[in-house]
Amino acid sequence: MNIVILDDDLEVIKYVNNVIPSNNQIYLHTSPLDLQHTSYFKKIDILFIDIKLKEINGIDFIKQNQNILSKTKIIYITAFNDYIENVFETD
């Protein structure tokens, strides 16, 4: 499986990375724009994504790339309760 962890906080990336079984291909990113330019962007099985990224809101990033990520399982990461209802708008 191709798994991507996208968060601008390296401590969160490390934490999430440690709970994913190591038999997967895991890619770590702090920038959504950098992720878009990778060879595996269109082949992500699971994407852990922070909602409050520096460059773009994670929910907006998913909405903008919905056609590419249509088969990708999205797992949102956030410390803010304000975004809970918004993630359901990306289905």
Side-chain angles (χ1 to χ4, degrees):
M1 272 193 166
N2 289 329
I3 299 175
V4 172
I5 304 168
L6 174 56
D7 199 305
D8 50 15
D9 184 335
L10 291 174
E11 291 303 313
V12 172
I13 288 176
K14 288 178 190 176
Y15 178 81
V16 175
N17 189 35
N18 285 333
V19 298
I20 298 171
S22 60
N23 61 334
N24 294 291
Q25 181 64 52
I26 302 170
Y27 302 96
L28 311 176
H29 285 273
T30 57
S31 166
L33 303 178
D34 289 346
L35 173 60
Q36 285 180 305
H37 294 98
T38 64
S39 61
Y40 49 83
F41 181 59
K42 296 180 180 182
K43 303 173 189 171
I44 300 171
D45 297 304
I46 300 173
L47 172 60
F48 290 86
I49 184 169
D50 185 15
I51 291 178
K52 193 159 177 132
L53 295 162
K54 291 176 187 167
E55 297 170 66
I56 185 173
N57 177 296
I59 296 170
D60 292 337
F61 178 78
I62 297 300
K63 286 180 180 178
Q64 290 173 10
N65 293 284
Q66 234 169 2
N67 58 336
I68 295 169
L69 301 171
S70 63
K71 296 184 188 227
T72 303
K73 303 294 183 208
I74 309 295
I75 300 171
Y76 291 99
I77 305 169
T78 188
F80 302 98
N81 290 335
D82 302 354
Y83 296 104
I84 291 174
E85 291 181 15
N86 297 355
V87 299
F88 295 105
E89 296 174 5
T90 61
D91 284 357

